Amino acid sequence: MSKVAFIGLGNMGGGMAANLAKAGHEVRAFDLSQDALDRAAGRGATAAADAAEACAEAEAVITMLPAGKHVADVCRKTVFTAAPKTAILIDCSTIDVETARTLGNEAAFAGFTMVDAPVSGGIAAAEGGTLTFMVGGSAEGFERARPFLEQMGKAVIHAGEPGAGQAAKICNNMLLGATMIATCETFALAQKLGLNLQTFYDISSKASGQSWSMTSYCPVPGVGPETPADRGYEGGFAAALMLKDLKLAKEAAETSGAYTPMGGEAEELYERFVQRGGGTKDFSGIIKMIDDSWVPPERK
Ligand code: NAD
């Protein structure tokens, strides 16, 4: 088993580090938050005094941090100087494509192999070891990262060159945000037209309106499989994180010259939802804002 440095032990990193420790790796963990560090130490990791101590002798360095600026800071100030050149560097955070590409190049210049490996799946998947990883980097980097990622997830997919993991993640989540809003407004219209919402679900989820947002993550309580809608939109994927991903998609569209009007509209609507206090709600809770007069059907 290997020595793994794990930096960033928050909602996601905490469970991921615990799964690596459970798999038998020697996990040296660091987080700026003493609480997060103590929790990781209670779940099989060894608490390091700082990021440099975590990186010393590491065979893999994994970062799971809030945004690009945190990852760049930790890599430039510590990882690139404190980790052995033989370590594979794996950033699992969701960050902007440009920073991921730049860090991949800087890592290579410093003599490292680095991959970006953002995840799909929330806190429950991080705890349960059922995340999906989309990996950007060389074929060699992918093969070296894969054994570690497999112990934290159910699927590990090579998306392409450095930054491609982040590109796949934000493209997927832009599509998800847009289809969720389209699903919400469709149900609002169906209700106003007097359709029974369960009947409409049965039709649309088997017809051409079908999407994951409709069929597997229906925003209407009591309709379709059990989803956060059945729990008052608590838990699930927070609207604030959807907004973060939509902003990254917008930024990437501007940089690359892509025309993404639906993604832009979704970003504006989630911005409004978060400003109105919906940030901690599941992202499907936006149905309440799409139509203020919308009355959810009685739970059967
Ligand atoms: P979080 O805020 O719970 O955890 C981030 C941790 O990083 C915190 O504990 C913080 O103290 C630590 N940190 C920040 N700067 C640091 C530094 N310089 N050195 C060491 N530690 C530092 O965030 P999270 O929910 O765990 O998300 C992490 C990443 O995963 C984000 O990029 C997020 O977008 C992505 N993501 C989250 C989810 C989710 O459902 N929470 C799902 C998919 C992807």
Side-chain angles (χ1 to χ4, degrees):
M1 286 295 139
S2 307
K3 289 181 178 157
V4 180
F6 206 111
I7 303 169
L9 307 156
N11 290 322
M12 298 293 287
M16 293 163 70
N19 283 329
L20 286 173
K22 216 190 295 173
H25 293 296
E26 191 183 325
V27 179
R28 292 198 192 157
F30 180 68
D31 194 294
L32 292 177
S33 151
Q34 189 60 45
D35 276 358
L37 201 49
D38 291 345
R39 275 196 300 276
R43 302 179 70 189
T46 304
D50 52 31
E53 188 179 296
C55 288
E57 297 173 27
E59 289 156 72
V61 178
I62 302 178
T63 41
M64 192 52 167
L65 296 163
K69 61 176 190 250
H70 306 94
V71 180
D73 202 47
V74 167
C75 284
R76 288 172 186 155
K77 288 193 181 143
T78 311
V79 179
F80 292 165
T81 48
K85 300 279 189 246
T86 47
I88 173 78
L89 311 185
I90 308 172
D91 178 38
C92 294
S93 330
T94 302
I95 71 171
D96 59 287
V97 177
E98 275 311 300
T99 301
R101 283 184 184 149
T102 305
L103 287 176
N105 289 336
E106 287 178 18
F109 190 70
F112 291 97
T113 302
M114 181 169 186
V115 297
D116 48 293
V119 306
S120 173
I123 301 164
E127 287 292 326
T130 57
L131 294 165
T132 293
F133 291 91
M134 24 210 131
V135 185
S138 63
E140 179 238 340
F142 175 70
E143 288 309 329
R144 286 178 63 196
R146 195 215 299 254
F148 298 100
L149 300 177
E150 278 176 347
Q151 279 156 348
M152 300 183 283
K154 63 172 172 27
V156 182
I157 301 159
H158 191 194
E161 59 194 23
Q166 299 296 350
K169 163 86 185 175
I170 59 165
C171 285
N172 180 71
N173 279 20
M174 185 180 84
L175 179 60
L176 175 62
T179 58
M180 178 52 76
I181 289 170
T183 304
C184 291
E185 65 187 35
T186 297
F187 272 113
L189 175 62
Q191 189 176 61
K192 285 201 162 61
L193 294 176
L195 286 171
N196 175 289
L197 297 189
Q198 177 65 52
T199 305
F200 175 65
Y201 171 89
D202 292 341
I203 294 166
S204 191
S205 61
K206 290 185 186 62
S208 48
Q210 194 275 340
S211 72
W212 188 84
S213 297
M214 161 64 76
T215 309
S216 303
Y217 212 84
C218 184
V220 179
V223 173
E226 196 185 324
T227 65
D230 297 302
R231 301 187 292 274
Y233 303 99
E234 298 298 337
F237 181 46
L241 286 174
M242 172 53 84
L243 177 60
K244 173 192 167 181
D245 294 352
L246 288 167
K247 283 184 184 298
L248 290 175
K250 187 179 175 185
E251 203 180 302
E254 281 164 8
T255 314
S256 64
Y259 178 52
T260 55
M262 300 293 280
E265 191 67 25
E267 190 258 341
E268 278 175 33
L269 287 164
Y270 274 106
E271 177 83 66
R272 215 182 303 159
F273 185 53
V274 168
Q275 275 171 11
R276 288 185 189 182
T280 60
K281 294 282 182 190
D282 179 73
F283 78 114
S284 63
I286 200 166
I287 195 165
K288 290 184 172 177
M289 189 189 84
I290 294 292
D291 181 357
D292 286 342
S293 64
W294 192 77
V295 184
E298 286 298 311
R299 182 125 174 68
K300 289 186 207 79

